[in-house]
Amino acid sequence: MSGDTVDSSSYFDGREPDELIRALVKKWQGTDGETTLCLHFIDLESNKAFIKAMPPDAPSNSTAVSCGNHVYVIGGICENDANPSGKYDVNDVFQLDLKDLERGWRKTTSMLFPRSFPHVLAAEGKIYVFECMGSESFGEVYDISGDIWEPLSPPPKAIDIHVLCVPVLDSSRSRILVHCYASGTLYAYYYDHKSWVCLEQKFCSRFDSAAIVDNVLYTYIYNCSLEAYNLVDKKHLPIKWSSEFPVVEPPGSTLYRPGNGKLILGWVNNLHRGFECIRFNIWCSEQGGIHAAAEHQSAITVPFPEYIFGIWFF
């Protein structure tokens, strides 16, 4: 699957990219202990992973995001012997056109500030970048049509920019949910008005990943399972599983929303060298709680041809 073609449907065996799970994958490179990044498109129907290699100069510790027909890989860390730590953050941005795969990756306009492992999401033709690892700036936004980066509107002083959970897009309300787990507060950034609103003072301590389905915010915390929060009524909802969860998920598992009232919890199985996941249905009960049911009795496995070090869905 390493070759490029002009026609993306032929590259993905007749599937459209929107039908596949997208992930940025870090893999071991050779025997020298170095790691490299690849873009993986995972097809759970055929149990295949379609791989698109990154350019040789792409930094590690980057973050990926989709916007329209393009994938962007943003920020990261590069080696630098002159730096006391041997590394430095970068503001690089790479772009891949899914409708013109033959063109391959190209560098586009850089961010205003260097960032490693930034929190990134896209909404209405713009890419929003939030701080994660100690940059000079809390965040910035990229207007794709205008090809320009601008600082993000200042957040409330109560937000500790160094302890943010992963932001979540709430597109139906034109906002981004941002959780500060130092204080447990849940904020909303309304990107149309460039304004911040506090939604919940004591939402929870932290969560590892999150997704919104039908006005309910689902958060996942390793060893604490799944939690649900009604965004309309602003209250936590009980979750009842109608079938036992078939596996014990490992640390580093990520919640992913494929659509159609479903959620996926996925992870890397390094022992068997593959991607594994559990897909489950969720729906609201008449009593006001949430019902959840796994679709299968064991994890779905998609084998990888290489040894995978880490995986991040987007």
Side-chain angles (χ1 to χ4, degrees):
M1 300 297 175
S2 59
D4 290 342
T5 66
V6 178
D7 184 0
S8 63
S9 63
S10 64
Y11 184 80
F12 298 121
D13 284 358
R15 301 292 297 279
E16 289 297 323
D18 288 344
E19 301 175 302
L20 308 175
I21 295 177
R22 304 176 187 188
L24 190 64
V25 172
K26 181 185 289 188
K27 66 173 185 175
W28 293 113
Q29 180 67 27
T31 58
D32 55 6
E34 295 294 324
T35 60
T36 59
L37 291 177
C38 287
L39 184 64
H40 283 214
F41 296 83
I42 302 170
D43 185 357
L44 296 182
E45 302 302 325
S46 63
N47 289 359
K48 290 183 179 179
F50 303 91
I51 302 171
K52 182 70 178 176
M54 288 292 296
D57 57 341
S60 61
N61 299 336
S62 306
T63 307
V65 65
S66 296
C67 190
N69 295 322
H70 295 86
V71 171
Y72 296 83
V73 174
I74 297 175
I77 294 177
C78 284
E79 304 290 333
N80 183 4
D81 294 336
N83 191 302
S85 66
K87 300 178 180 180
Y88 66 99
D89 293 352
V90 298
N91 60 351
D92 294 344
V93 180
F94 289 86
Q95 181 198 73
L96 176 68
D97 187 345
L98 297 177
K99 297 298 184 182
D100 188 9
L101 290 170
E102 190 176 54
R103 184 181 185 184
W105 293 94
R106 70 180 185 91
K107 269 190 176 182
T108 186
T109 305
S110 299
M111 290 186 293
L112 300 177
F113 295 92
R115 304 174 189 275
S116 58
F117 278 132
H119 294 315
V120 180
L121 51 76
E124 297 185 5
K126 295 183 179 180
I127 296 175
Y128 294 84
V129 179
F130 295 85
E131 178 45 39
C132 179
M133 300 292 283
S135 173
E136 304 171 52
S137 164
F138 168 76
E140 52 191 289
V141 55
Y142 178 55
D143 186 330
I144 296 174
S145 62
D147 190 27
I148 185 172
W149 287 91
E150 295 179 337
L152 198 65
S153 299
K157 293 182 179 180
I159 292 184
D160 187 337
I161 67 173
H162 302 297
V163 285
L164 294 181
C165 293
V166 179
V168 186
L169 177 63
D170 187 5
S171 57
S172 64
R173 297 173 180 83
S174 299
R175 66 185 184 180
I176 299 168
L177 305 185
V178 178
H179 178 246
C180 175
Y181 63 76
S183 62
T185 308
L186 181 67
Y187 292 91
Y189 175 70
Y190 290 85
Y191 43 80
D192 286 348
H193 307 290
K194 300 181 179 179
S195 62
W196 291 87
V197 173
C198 177
L199 297 182
E200 186 79 48
Q201 286 284 355
K202 294 295 180 181
F203 179 70
C204 67
S205 58
R206 66 183 299 271
F207 53 82
D208 300 319
S209 56
I212 295 175
V213 180
D214 297 333
N215 294 319
V216 177
L217 172 64
Y218 294 91
T219 58
Y220 169 75
I221 308 171
Y222 173 64
N223 271 343
C224 296
S225 193
L226 193 68
E227 296 185 2
Y229 178 80
N230 189 307
L231 293 168
V232 177
D233 299 331
K234 295 185 178 181
K235 66 179 183 180
H236 293 271
L237 302 175
I239 296 180
K240 180 180 180 181
W241 289 89
S242 57
S243 60
E244 290 188 7
F245 212 63
V247 296
V248 177
E249 70 277 16
S253 302
T254 302
L255 198 64
Y256 180 86
R257 178 195 172 188
N260 299 323
K262 300 178 187 293
L263 287 174
I264 285 176
L265 188 64
W267 60 88
V268 172
N269 187 323
N270 288 319
L271 179 62
H272 296 106
R273 214 165 70 172
F275 164 76
E276 292 186 345
C277 71
I278 294 296
R279 183 168 53 202
F280 50 95
N281 295 297
I282 46 176
W283 64 95
C284 295
S285 67
E286 294 180 356
Q287 291 74 32
I290 299 294
H291 277 302
E295 287 191 350
H296 31 87
Q297 297 302 311
S298 59
I300 298 173
T301 301
V302 179
F304 284 161
E306 306 126 328
Y307 182 78
I308 301 302
F309 180 70
I311 187 168
W312 299 270
F313 305 115
F314 64 96

